[in-house]
Amino acid sequence: MTFKKTCLFSFTLLAFFALKINAQTVSKFHLQQTSNTNQPWARWWWMGSAVDKPNLKKSLIDFHKAGIGGVEITPIYGVKGEENNFIDYLSPKWLDMLDYTIHVSDSLHMQVDMVLGTGWPYGGSQVTLPHAATKLIVNKFEVKKGQKIDQNITLPKEEKIPAELLYVVASGSDGSFIDLTKQIKKSEISWDKSQSDNKSYNPDIKENRLSFKASKTSYTVYAVFSGKTGQQVKRSAPGGQGYTLDHYSEEALNEYVVPFNNAFKGREGKVRAIFNDSFEVYGADFTPNFFEEFQKRRGYDLKQHLTELISTEDTEKGNRIKSDYRETISDLLLNQFDKPWTSWANSKKFKTKLQAHGSPGNLIDLYASADIPECETFGSMPYDIPGFRREKSDIREGDADPVMLKFSSSAAHISGKPLISSESFTWLREHFKTALSQCKPEVEDLFLNGVNHAFLHGSTYSPTRAAWPGWEFYASVNFNSNNTIWEDASGLFSYIANCQSLLQQGKPDNEILLYWPIYDQWNKFAKGEMFMQFKIHSLPEWLYGTSFYDTTKILIGKGYSVDFISDSFVKQATVKDGNVVLPGGTFKSLVVPACKNMPLETLKKLVELKKNGAKIIFEGLPESVPGFNEFEKQNTELQKVLAENKTLVQPTSDILQTLNSETILPETLVNTGLKFIRRTLDGEKLYYVVNHTSKTIDGMIPLQIGNKEVVIFNPLTKEYGNAIIEKSANQTLVKLHIEPGQSFFLITENEATQQKWNYWETASAAIPLNGKWQLNFDKGGPELPPAASLTTLESWTKLSPQAEAFSGCATYTLQFDAPKVTAENWALNLGDVRESAKVWLNGTYIGTAWSVPFQLNIGKLKPGKNELKIQVTNLAANRIRDMELKGIEWKIFYEINMVDKDYKKFDATKWSPMLSGLLGPVSITPLKNEIKK
């Protein structure tokens, strides 16, 4: 069968299935036909942009056949020895490669995203020094009363890049203030031409001379410079090198997009979305017109309070002024960069995809400024699932806290953005040591917290001329055909696509809004630092231990579905039928956790909403308005508002009891240990439930919706059918048997159908499959080990030196007699699989076991002899270890080259061989169906 015919057959089959389940279940939810948005996408690194059309086409076909729906192009540093193949970013040849990628993707029903630059963060050769990432430099000196100075105002010695002197001001010990800026005399200074090749030397620098006498009192003189961080684009590709961009300036953004305005002429709408990575703009705490913007937004002159701004002492005034500074930085990032960036992209008929985490601003508003908010996970999370391996030597602890993940999904939910994406699997394990089974619970946690479009991190373009293992990116699970896990990766991608097909339908169904009191963070003393970033790697600094975090965990733990709301979205809220209405939907209540600082405008709006019938629940009352300008006057009014509305704002002592009294009820299914997320479509509910516990959950599971039939859908196998249920007016109980590591969708409907869910029960004890296993090595390298016969299943690495070094596929074959046991179906349990397994019974393909539990229902056995074939694929780690032990160099990449999970030199010679193959024990279990069709 040709490739085109194979694709057409698969598409038609899926379409038929989608129609079939929709017709038979009469459900509002149904599996959509396979589309590129349902499928996972991959970040696609172009090393040195050394791409060519034949290899682009091959790579895209590989992606398509495996079930990847789109790519996100990120050009990065190159491969040593490939210099002649490097293509400069945005050059005519590079744009030709982009056009070809789009053309081939279109033919495969795929789509293309791209980064607006190379590496990260935004920056490049078009960024001139005035528009580069900027920092505040303050040089101060003391002038005692009666002393006169006449000196040049200079930068601190450690500053290597010329900076622009903006202001010179003096603060007197008596509280007086003098702006000395106009007294500065500027003059040219001579320079040594021998220094002209020094890039940090600026021949145009001017002398700034100040003559000043402290007549009335002693003064601290502050020289305020607009300096440059000097940060260059990280991991940049050829043609993309240069300064990082000033992210607080629309003028800088407009300069930055000039090359793209030219490049995208005639290409409008050809790319789906423009991507902006996490905020990794180091030390950029300023922009040249910051003081003017500050006065416009905060209402006072910051220059008069430089003492408090740069102070490292913990004082109320200093903290208030720092809060205003932090809020202004947030405003500029949102309104001078992120929103104009989305407007610019939309003008080109592109969407935007933004990772806001790490930003020095209100994450909710920043995420919501993009068409597609995107979160990120980094490292490995723990799970209690039996058989789920998480060897400490191979992992770095993960940052996928559910509360952190909800910032991106909440922003999408309250602003009405249908897609929430994720950078998934970053540094999940050490290189070449990530199994498909280890990806599944990680992506499930993303889905459970609102993500509905996973991006793999990632895949490196690697041409056929590259020797194995091909080109590699330093921080990824490399999802491409060079990696052994690619053999069965389509199973993972199919599972993701089946989940996303349902999770992208309807609307989120979260009943509670939780106010994020960001001003408590902005107002706190942060070790004297004025600049504050909200990073996923520093949650203890700004998230853990807060009332906001604690309340979120309590509500989620009790079964409530929560989204977060910012002050700006509170401002947009209205009330209808007692619900809080936002651009993205309606919510039953809004909870305000205990907080110290709240804008007066926010408090007034919350009171107004409650007066209009909204369920606004306070866990505590604010003590103060944030910021410095007229805060005493505002505090008086704040206390007046609280006093006049004492009954309305009375804090609750028990949030759970208060919610119950308002008839806002939790999903008590969480008491079983199940995790869930819920969506709604035309009055019907969809629950995605996952068992990440160590125990099988078996029983009647309560859903908080009354008098409904329920369809169970298994996204791993695509099995579905009507469940056994017990109805009542306010609740529906669903019979469920869900083993550790399993997940199901529960879909409500009004009428039952003929298709019933198969409740398989064990008919008798499991029967071990013993005997002589024939083991043949099928494909892989560095060479195929000799075949072997086994009576005991153990790691194939113990068979021979060749098998110890081998990474690839090997087939186990066993002849066995059918047990003399009556069974309607048989379950095959493969035991410990390293790492995935395709199964055939009597020549018929049964399926692929790639996740815990490694079980498949294999149907009926034939009388007498049966033949079981199991093709197992291991990880690539043992082959890499063998290469390094033999001194074969493959780490040939520029810049960071290759590092291990701890960002130290990569050295696989220290590894022990990883267990590989079918370790067992293998058994079959007779099954009977509790419910007859």
Side-chain angles (χ1 to χ4, degrees):
M1 187 179 290
T2 66
F3 170 69
K4 281 189 175 181
K5 287 181 179 177
T6 303
C7 292
L8 181 62
F9 173 76
S10 300
F11 185 81
T12 303
L13 185 62
L14 284 168
F16 171 76
F17 177 76
L19 292 172
K20 181 179 177 184
I21 188 171
N22 190 38
Q24 290 195 352
T25 65
V26 199
S27 173
K28 299 292 183 182
F29 295 95
H30 61 279
L31 270 187
Q32 300 168 354
Q33 295 183 2
T34 301
S35 73
N36 50 54
T37 305
N38 301 152
Q39 296 171 313
W41 288 28
R43 184 169 300 176
W44 197 18
W45 291 286
W46 285 7
M47 302 198 80
S49 294
V51 298
D52 60 65
K53 292 180 179 179
N55 281 291
L56 286 171
K57 184 174 183 178
K58 177 189 179 301
S59 296
L60 289 166
I61 290 174
D62 286 345
F63 288 148
H64 175 72
K65 291 171 71 174
I68 291 176
V71 291
E72 177 197 286
I73 299 170
T74 302
I76 55 168
Y77 55 85
V79 179
K80 296 173 183 177
E82 288 284 335
E83 292 81 2
N84 291 337
N85 295 316
F86 290 175
I87 304 173
D88 279 349
Y89 184 60
L90 293 189
S91 65
K93 186 174 181 180
W94 194 94
L95 291 171
D96 183 44
M97 294 299 130
L98 174 64
D99 289 339
Y100 184 75
T101 299
I102 294 169
H103 168 72
V104 175
S105 297
D106 284 346
S107 72
L108 298 171
H109 303 288
M110 297 172 68
Q111 284 185 288
V112 177
D113 288 357
M114 64 177 286
V115 176
L116 206 66
T118 75
W120 65 91
Y122 279 11
S125 58
Q126 73 267 41
V127 178
T128 59
L129 199 57
H131 291 146
T134 305
K135 64 180 179 179
L136 175 65
I137 302 172
V138 180
N139 208 5
K140 71 175 185 175
F141 53 93
E142 302 298 326
V143 183
K144 295 189 180 299
K145 182 179 179 180
Q147 182 181 358
K148 181 178 180 180
I149 62 167
D150 187 1
Q151 67 184 59
N152 186 36
I153 302 300
T154 60
L155 281 167
K157 292 181 179 179
E158 63 269 17
E159 297 297 332
K160 303 301 182 185
I161 300 176
E164 179 186 1
L165 179 63
L166 297 179
Y167 305 102
V168 178
V169 299
S171 293
S173 58
D174 60 355
S176 60
F177 171 81
I178 306 174
D179 191 336
L180 301 172
T181 307
K182 292 183 179 180
Q183 298 184 32
I184 296 296
K185 294 182 179 180
K186 299 180 181 292
S187 62
E188 302 286 347
I189 63 171
S190 61
W191 59 286
D192 184 352
K193 291 185 178 180
S194 67
Q195 298 293 318
S196 62
D197 61 344
N198 185 343
K199 293 182 179 178
S200 67
Y201 189 83
N202 185 352
D204 296 323
I205 194 168
K206 301 180 188 300
E207 187 175 77
N208 297 295
R209 197 155 199 89
L210 173 66
S211 180
F212 170 66
K213 183 177 180 179
S215 301
K216 297 181 179 180
T217 188
S218 296
Y219 289 90
T220 301
V221 178
Y222 297 93
V224 179
F225 294 85
S226 176
K228 298 300 170 183
T229 67
Q231 182 183 350
Q232 301 278 314
V233 176
K234 294 175 65 176
R235 325 302 182 209
S236 61
Q241 304 93 333
Y243 285 117
T244 296
L245 186 62
D246 180 352
H247 282 60
Y248 313 126
S249 167
E250 188 169 1
E251 179 181 309
L253 174 65
N254 290 338
E255 180 194 72
Y256 182 72
V257 298
V258 168
F260 298 99
N261 288 332
N262 297 326
F264 290 144
K265 283 181 180 177
R267 296 181 174 89
E268 293 84 358
K270 299 293 185 182
V271 170
R272 185 200 69 145
I274 299 298
F275 175 64
N276 192 354
D277 212 333
S278 55
F279 195 92
E280 297 180 37
V281 187
Y282 306 126
D285 58 10
F286 196 62
T287 193
N289 67 339
F290 181 83
F291 284 92
E292 293 78 10
E293 289 286 348
F294 184 96
Q295 182 148 14
K296 181 171 66 177
R297 296 169 185 276
R298 305 283 86 85
Y300 65 98
D301 186 356
L302 182 60
K303 297 192 295 296
Q304 297 185 25
H305 302 281
L306 287 170
T307 300
E308 293 83 7
L309 178 66
I310 66 175
S311 171
T312 57
E313 295 182 6
D314 187 0
T315 66
E316 181 185 5
K317 184 178 180 182
N319 291 339
R320 286 183 177 278
I321 288 169
K322 287 183 177 70
S323 176
D324 283 337
Y325 160 81
R326 293 161 181 163
E327 184 177 6
T328 303
I329 283 285
S330 180
D331 287 348
L332 294 177
L333 178 57
L334 176 65
N335 297 300
Q336 300 296 310
F337 195 89
D338 283 345
K339 285 184 175 180
W341 167 68
T342 291
S343 296
W344 174 85
N346 292 167
S347 74
K348 307 293 182 188
K349 300 181 181 179
F350 307 140
K351 296 182 185 301
T352 54
K353 190 158 64 76
L354 174 65
Q355 292 187 355
H357 44 275
S359 297
N362 193 313
L363 296 183
I364 298 172
D365 297 338
L366 294 169
Y367 277 124
S369 70
D371 297 307
I372 306 170
E374 178 166 300
C375 65
E376 171 184 357
T377 56
F378 195 96
S380 166
M381 299 300 290
Y383 297 95
D384 294 330
I385 304 166
F388 178 80
R389 302 192 325 279
R390 191 171 178 265
E391 298 86 350
K392 190 171 182 60
S393 61
D394 292 335
I395 62 103
R396 57 184 298 149
E397 294 297 331
D399 293 316
D401 188 288
V403 180
M404 181 64 214
L405 294 175
K406 278 187 166 292
F407 276 94
S408 59
S409 60
S410 294
H413 294 166
I414 65 177
S415 63
K417 310 295 171 62
L419 290 179
I420 305 100
S421 58
S422 64
E423 176 187 311
S424 314
F425 314 132
T426 307
W427 278 123
L428 200 56
R429 296 292 190 282
E430 186 58 272
H431 282 289
F432 309 105
K433 288 191 173 185
T434 299
L436 299 172
S437 62
Q438 293 162 335
C439 297
K440 184 172 180 280
E442 302 275 358
V443 77
E444 287 170 342
D445 264 343
L446 289 168
F447 293 152
L448 288 162
N449 288 289
V451 169
N452 58 9
H453 195 199
F455 275 71
L456 312 175
H457 193 274
S459 184
T460 312
Y461 167 94
S462 189
T464 54
R465 65 180 178 273
W468 192 90
W471 298 354
E472 297 281 336
F473 184 62
Y474 77 94
S476 73
V477 179
N478 202 7
F479 289 99
N480 71 21
S481 59
N482 288 325
N483 196 342
T484 55
I485 64 172
W486 193 256
E487 178 70 26
D488 295 320
S490 59
L492 170 64
F493 302 158
S494 174
Y495 174 77
I496 292 173
N498 291 337
C499 291
Q500 292 181 167
S501 175
L502 292 169
L503 293 172
Q504 289 174 15
Q505 296 185 56
K507 290 186 176 182
D509 191 32
N510 298 342
E511 64 265 89
I512 296 176
L513 289 165
L514 187 65
Y515 171 70
W516 184 33
I518 191 172
Y519 289 95
D520 280 1
Q521 295 304 311
W522 282 339
N523 195 76
K524 77 176 183 181
F525 180 73
K527 299 179 181 178
E529 296 291 334
M530 63 180 193
F531 192 57
M532 179 180 287
Q533 292 177 264
F534 299 101
K535 304 176 183 178
I536 62 172
H537 306 309
S538 61
L539 300 184
E541 296 177 13
W542 64 272
L543 184 59
Y544 295 162
T546 64
S547 59
F548 168 79
Y549 182 82
D550 294 342
T551 296
T552 306
K553 294 289 285 185
I554 289 170
L555 292 174
I556 293 174
K558 290 298 183 180
Y560 286 103
S561 299
V562 177
D563 276 323
F564 307 149
I565 187 169
S566 65
D567 293 87
S568 66
F569 276 92
V570 170
K571 185 177 180 179
Q572 299 178 51
T574 59
V575 182
K576 183 178 180 180
D577 299 329
N579 294 320
V580 179
V581 180
L582 291 170
T586 60
F587 297 81
K588 292 181 180 179
S589 68
L590 193 160
V591 174
V592 181
C595 62
K596 181 177 180 180
N597 299 277
M598 179 185 288
L600 180 60
E601 182 182 24
T602 299
L603 177 63
K604 287 181 175 180
K605 184 58 183 280
L606 291 171
V607 171
E608 176 193 328
L609 293 172
K610 189 152 189 177
K611 286 180 177 179
N612 289 334
K615 298 176 181 69
I616 310 297
I617 303 170
F618 290 85
E619 287 193 294
L621 299 180
E623 301 171 19
S624 173
V625 298
F628 178 69
N629 192 30
E630 297 185 334
F631 74 91
E632 297 97 338
K633 178 181 177 182
Q634 290 189 68
N635 274 345
T636 299
E637 189 172 355
L638 180 135
Q639 294 303 322
K640 180 180 178 183
V641 172
L642 292 175
E644 291 176 347
N645 297 280
K646 188 174 182 179
T647 304
L648 287 176
V649 300
Q650 182 66 37
T652 177
S653 59
D654 188 332
I655 183 64
L656 300 176
Q657 185 179 31
T658 301
L659 288 168
N660 185 71
S661 67
E662 296 282 6
T663 323
I664 302 172
L665 304 177
E667 292 285 356
T668 56
L669 63 87
V670 297
N671 296 334
T672 66
L674 288 174
K675 300 175 182 178
F676 82 99
I677 191 170
R678 187 181 63 212
R679 294 183 71 83
T680 183
L681 176 64
D682 295 338
E684 300 296 349
K685 305 285 186 180
L686 175 144
Y687 294 77
Y688 174 60
V689 295
V690 183
N691 184 2
H692 284 165
T693 75
S694 61
K695 304 293 185 182
T696 297
I697 296 171
D698 192 355
M700 301 301 291
I701 305 300
L703 304 181
Q704 289 300 326
I705 183 170
N707 292 319
K708 290 291 182 179
E709 300 290 333
V710 177
V711 171
I712 301 175
F713 172 68
N714 185 338
L716 187 66
T717 64
K718 297 182 183 177
E719 297 172 296
Y720 67 94
N722 268 91
I724 296 173
I725 52 94
E726 294 177 9
K727 300 179 184 180
S728 65
N730 299 314
Q731 193 177 71
T732 300
L733 300 177
V734 184
K735 182 174 175 57
L736 204 61
H737 177 97
I738 181 167
E739 297 189 34
Q742 285 189 323
S743 66
F744 293 127
F745 282 92
L746 309 178
I747 307 167
T748 71
E749 57 182 17
N750 288 323
E751 298 178 7
T753 64
Q754 294 180 354
Q755 180 72 28
K756 305 298 183 185
W757 179 252
N758 288 315
Y759 287 95
W760 295 113
E761 287 189 339
T762 299
S764 60
I767 300 167
L769 289 185
N770 299 317
K772 182 180 289 186
W773 293 86
Q774 181 62 36
L775 175 60
N776 292 289
F777 291 89
D778 305 326
K779 55 184 176 180
E783 60 179 311
L784 294 181
S789 293
L790 310 171
T791 55
T792 301
L793 291 174
E794 60 181 358
S795 174
W796 73 46
T797 56
K798 298 179 181 181
L799 296 177
S800 65
Q802 298 98 317
E804 180 180 276
F806 178 76
S807 292
C809 305
T811 298
Y812 295 77
T813 303
L814 176 71
Q815 306 285 335
F816 68 96
D817 290 320
K820 298 184 183 302
V821 175
T822 301
E824 299 176 53
N825 199 345
W826 289 88
L828 172 68
N829 190 328
L830 298 177
D832 192 357
V833 177
R834 303 298 179 96
E835 299 294 336
S836 59
K838 294 186 178 75
V839 175
W840 290 263
L841 178 65
N842 299 322
T844 299
Y845 174 68
I846 299 298
T848 301
W850 58 269
S851 63
V852 179
F854 291 98
Q855 298 174 1
L856 293 171
N857 282 4
I858 58 176
K860 294 184 178 295
L861 300 174
K862 66 179 184 180
K865 289 290 182 185
N866 287 263
E867 181 182 74
L868 185 65
K869 282 191 175 183
I870 305 170
Q871 185 186 67
V872 179
T873 302
N874 72 337
L875 300 178
N878 290 344
R879 186 173 176 183
I880 287 292
R881 173 179 176 271
D882 178 67
M883 288 179 69
E884 298 219 336
L885 287 171
K886 291 175 179 176
I888 301 172
E889 189 53 78
W890 59 275
K891 303 183 292 294
I892 53 172
F893 315 114
Y894 279 102
E895 206 189 290
I896 196 171
N897 203 352
M898 291 295 288
V899 292
D900 68 10
K901 62 181 175 60
D902 299 314
Y903 284 76
K904 296 178 181 178
K905 184 179 178 181
F906 183 93
D907 184 4
T909 64
K910 298 177 181 179
W911 294 353
S912 298
M914 293 197 74
L915 299 178
S916 300
L918 187 61
L919 309 188
V922 178
S923 64
I924 54 175
T925 303
L927 302 176
K928 61 181 179 180
N929 195 351
E930 181 181 332
I931 300 300
K932 301 295 182 181
K933 293 182 181 178

